[in-house]
Each structure stands twice: as C-alpha cells, then as structure tokens.
Amino acid sequence: MEHQLISAIETALGWSGAEELGKGFARGGLDDPALLSRLLTPNRLLDIAMRRSLNRPQFRCFQKGVEVHPAVYYTDSVSPRGQSIPMVNMRSLGNLLRDGATLILDQANVFDPTMEVACRALQWWAHERVQVNAYLTTNDAAGFPLHWDDHDVVIVQLAGEKEWEVRAASRKVPMYRDSDPNNTPSDEIIWSGVMRTGDVMHIPRGHWHQATRTGSGSGKSLHVTFGITKRTGASWLTWLADWCREREIFRHDLDRWNILDSAALAEAATALLGERSPADYLAAYEQETTLPRHVPFLDILGPLDAVVCTTHFPPRIQESGEIVDVMASGKKLTLSAKALPALRLLLSGRPVVLEQAAVAVGAEVVEVAEILVEEELCAVLTPELSSGYTGLVTNAGS
C-alpha cells in the first residue's frame, strides 16, 4: 500500500525502507503541512473523546506530572430510562486543558479511520504490528518522566511544539519480559531540543526519553507515536515451544523420579531448531495474525460497489499453472489463474471502486471481490473508512 505518510517519513529520516527501524536514533522534518492536519488535529482528538465512552487506561489525563483521577473529568450520561454510560465531561476536561494538562489516547487507530489506515500502511511496510497513541499537551504541562519503551517508535509532531530529551539505552535491546528490570537511566544524551510542527523522530527500543512543555508558556503540542513491536529471538523460541508439543518426547513429564534422557531431549530440540527457522517463524507470524475488525457487508443495506483489503499484512499471492492461491490471516483461497489481475488490484491495499475496476481488469473483478469480502480479506468501503484514505492513498485502478 502506497501511503503518503510512509514516503514522508522515509524522506524526513533519510531512510530507504523499513530495514532502518530500530537501528539508531533519527530525526528530520516533513515538508507537507497539509499531511499533518489530514492525519489528526487537536479538535479531532477532542471530538473522539467527546463522542465515545472511553475508559482508563485507554484515555488518560495528566497534570503537573501526576495522573488526574478519572472522577475529575468523567461523568455518567444517563438516558431517560436510567441507562448509564461513562463519558468524558468535556467542560471539566476543557478546564484542565486551560490550566495546562496532557491528554493521552492509546490506540487512536481503533477510533479514527485515518489513524487506522495509517497503521495498516505501516504494518504492510514494516511487516510488524503497529498501534498509534496521541498526546495533546497544553500550556506549561509536563509529560511523562524519563522512561524507555519496549518497542521502536516513530513520532510525528502534528501541531505546536514540545521539548524533548533522548538518551542512549542503558541495557541493549531490553524487553517487556526480561531478566533485568532496567531501571537506571543512561547518562548519555543523544539529542535534546524542541520538536516543532512537521518534525519526525525515530527512537529505537530501550532509549530513554522524556518530553515536556514546562516553561514553554501559552501554547499547545499534539504528536502521535507509532509504536512498532518487532519480533525477537525470544519470540521465535516461544513459537518453537508450541511446535515441540507435536513430538512425544517433549510431552513426557519431567519428574524427579524418572528424568528423561537429557541427551535425547537436547537432540530433539536441536532437530526442531533446524526444521523451523526464524524466517519460517516470521512468515508464519504474518499468516497466523487474526483478521481485523471491519464493518460486515450486508446486501440488504446496499450493493457492493467499492472494497479495500484490510488484512493486517499483505496477502501472499502464489501462481501455480492454472490456479492461483491467496494466503492471509490463516486462510488459503484457490482461484482460477484468470482471476490474477483482479486479485492484484483488490489486494493492493488501495480502495477499489468496482465499476472502474471492471473497465481496468474485466467484469470478473466483481465476482472476485464478492469472494474476498465473504472471506473477510476485503471489507466494504464505507464512507467512514473511505475518509481514512482520502488524500493519503490513491484508488487502485483509477
């Protein structure tokens, strides 16, 4: 999927592809202000908070470096029949923001179609799962204290400015589940300065960092952080542990009265390591990732006139003589080879208007689209979902 955000990030950071992720700190700037406001604005973030029943820890507010108790800015919206739904009290939230506060919305991609599409494009690019968190800070409010993340992050400053400090890692490639708590910050400052509208920054896993508007006076800062969690050697070994259950030798008890032959276990483990490589694991990881949420297609609501592929990762298309196989999200579909042009179009990750596609690749594209929608590899392109692509991803076949 060709997304303007990806090309803009690569240009800003001087990258030639996703292989640069995690390799080192990088910083640069975007040249397209329209892209920034298209992704997210402070008012759109507040609109998301107003229209949804959000709960901690997905939606949080901090003031003077301390989390504000939800009771301060939440209230119950009660229907005429007495049904109660917790909602953000926008008047109270507004007062906090006037005084200076930081709002955090985790997984903004769950609630906003533009953020959803951006994360999906980054997933197809990086071949890793991606989520985006949004941070709105007003006036002199502080952010999180010095900390490190267990995943690589790409930060895009969408509005205003914020002061940052980035330090080196004090433990190489630390993990969420690790043998060391890694609580001592590094003294080596890699970069400190102000992130301004349009700036982009990549902070690799384990690098200590903090951001604040303390001392900045009146103003605002809105940035989004794309968190990209890459697979590790530990992930591969965990996957192998599941496969070992196929062999009887690994299913026997390890009790103190009848210890299995250690040499035999070691030999079986070595054989397993050789049979299922890290590359096998990475391929399986993509294929085994479950299907994402999307609006189901119901013909009673209208005809199928536009679709888009919504799998977390690019489907694999494999030609074999007169047939072609499509593999994605644990599914394998086999179609006639004549469906290949339609498949390439429909599974491109770009929106497809079927009337236009029929002119480009033939009338069979409609039938193929119906199959892919039924199997949930593609979703109906609702107006809301379409808005996530507008101006950022061009339609396929147009």
Side-chain angles (χ1 to χ4, degrees), residues 5-335:
L5 176 63
I6 295 174
S7 57
I9 288 173
E10 288 186 335
T11 300
L13 299 181
W15 289 359
S16 57
E19 62 271 15
E20 301 296 331
L21 274 170
K23 288 188 176 179
F25 174 80
R27 185 175 165 274
L30 304 180
D31 296 326
D32 184 4
L35 173 61
L36 302 172
S37 59
R38 180 67 190 86
L39 289 171
L40 188 67
T41 65
N43 281 330
R44 262 178 56 204
L45 177 60
L46 293 175
D47 192 79
I48 291 172
M50 180 184 71
R51 298 183 187 280
R52 290 162 177 81
S53 180
L54 302 172
N55 288 298
R56 186 189 180 280
Q58 193 149 42
F59 185 78
R60 291 166 290 163
C61 179
F62 286 77
Q63 199 169 51
K64 298 179 181 178
V66 178
E67 184 172 359
V68 179
H69 194 283
V72 174
Y73 59 97
Y74 270 89
T75 188
D76 285 341
S77 176
V78 182
S79 74
R81 296 195 176 194
Q83 296 171 317
S84 180
I85 302 174
M87 301 288 287
V88 173
N89 184 318
M90 300 306 291
R91 184 174 292 107
S92 299
L93 186 64
N95 290 333
L96 290 170
L97 292 172
R98 289 186 190 94
D99 291 339
T102 292
L103 301 185
I104 303 169
L105 176 62
D106 286 350
Q107 289 188 288
N109 46 295
V110 172
F111 306 104
D112 181 82
T114 303
M115 292 288 95
E116 174 196 334
V117 172
C119 282
R120 183 155 51 242
L122 284 165
Q123 286 180 171
W124 282 38
W125 173 71
H127 293 269
E128 300 285 1
R129 291 297 298 269
V130 179
Q131 79 166 50
V132 61
N133 300 340
Y135 300 81
L136 174 63
T137 302
T138 58
N139 297 330
D140 277 329
F144 282 147
L146 197 61
H147 67 284
W148 60 272
D149 294 320
D150 65 346
H151 51 268
D152 301 323
V153 297
V154 173
I155 298 159
V156 182
Q157 185 74 25
L158 297 178
E161 57 186 41
K162 203 169 192 178
E163 188 173 350
W164 283 76
E165 179 182 280
V166 181
R167 301 190 184 189
S170 49
R171 171 175 169 79
K172 290 186 177 180
V173 290
M175 302 179 70
Y176 174 69
R177 290 184 59 199
D178 207 336
S179 60
D180 187 320
N182 191 35
N183 292 329
T184 304
S186 169
D187 293 327
E188 181 188 351
I189 297 176
I190 293 178
W191 179 79
S192 63
V194 176
M195 288 279 286
R196 296 183 171 84
T197 303
D199 285 348
V200 181
M201 180 164 55
H202 167 55
I203 303 178
R205 167 165 54 115
H207 281 54
W208 294 82
H209 55 277
Q210 61 183 345
T212 185
R213 278 192 54 83
T214 300
S216 297
S218 177
K220 66 181 184 298
S221 167
L222 174 65
H223 76 266
V224 288
T225 296
F226 293 96
I228 306 172
T229 305
K230 299 178 73 174
R231 304 305 93 198
T232 66
S235 306
W236 171 54
L237 289 177
T238 300
W239 179 70
L240 285 176
D242 289 332
W243 277 106
C244 80
R245 293 173 176 85
E246 288 188 336
R247 302 189 180 191
E248 179 185 339
I249 189 171
F250 293 111
R251 300 198 305 271
H252 280 283
D253 297 341
L254 283 178
D255 59 57
R256 290 175 174 79
W257 301 273
N258 185 28
I259 296 294
L260 287 173
D261 182 357
S262 297
L265 274 175
E267 183 180 350
T270 301
L272 186 62
L273 290 171
E275 291 169 5
R276 301 188 184 277
S277 69
D280 294 332
Y281 162 63
L282 292 174
Y285 169 75
E286 290 190 37
Q287 292 303 310
E288 293 168 1
T289 302
T290 57
L291 290 163
R293 298 164 67 246
H294 60 78
V295 174
F297 172 65
L298 303 172
D299 55 7
I300 57 174
L301 302 182
L304 185 66
D305 52 14
V307 302
V308 65
C309 180
T310 54
T311 56
H312 285 302
F313 300 109
R316 289 172 53 198
I317 301 175
Q318 187 172 345
E319 302 175 61
S320 180
E322 296 299 313
I323 63 171
V324 57
D325 293 326
V326 176
M327 290 159 285
S329 299
K331 295 193 174 190
K332 180 179 178 180
L333 310 181
T334 300
L335 295 89

Side-chain angles (χ1 to χ4, degrees), residues 295-308 346 352-355 365-374 378-382:
V295 174
F297 172 65
L298 303 172
D299 55 7
I300 57 174
L301 302 182
L304 185 66
D305 52 14
V307 302
V308 65
L346 294 166
V352 178
V353 178
L354 295 182
E355 184 177 359
V365 71
V366 176
E367 182 181 356
V368 177
E370 291 172 348
I371 294 171
L372 295 177
V373 168
E374 182 179 355
C378 286
V380 57
L381 189 70
T382 63

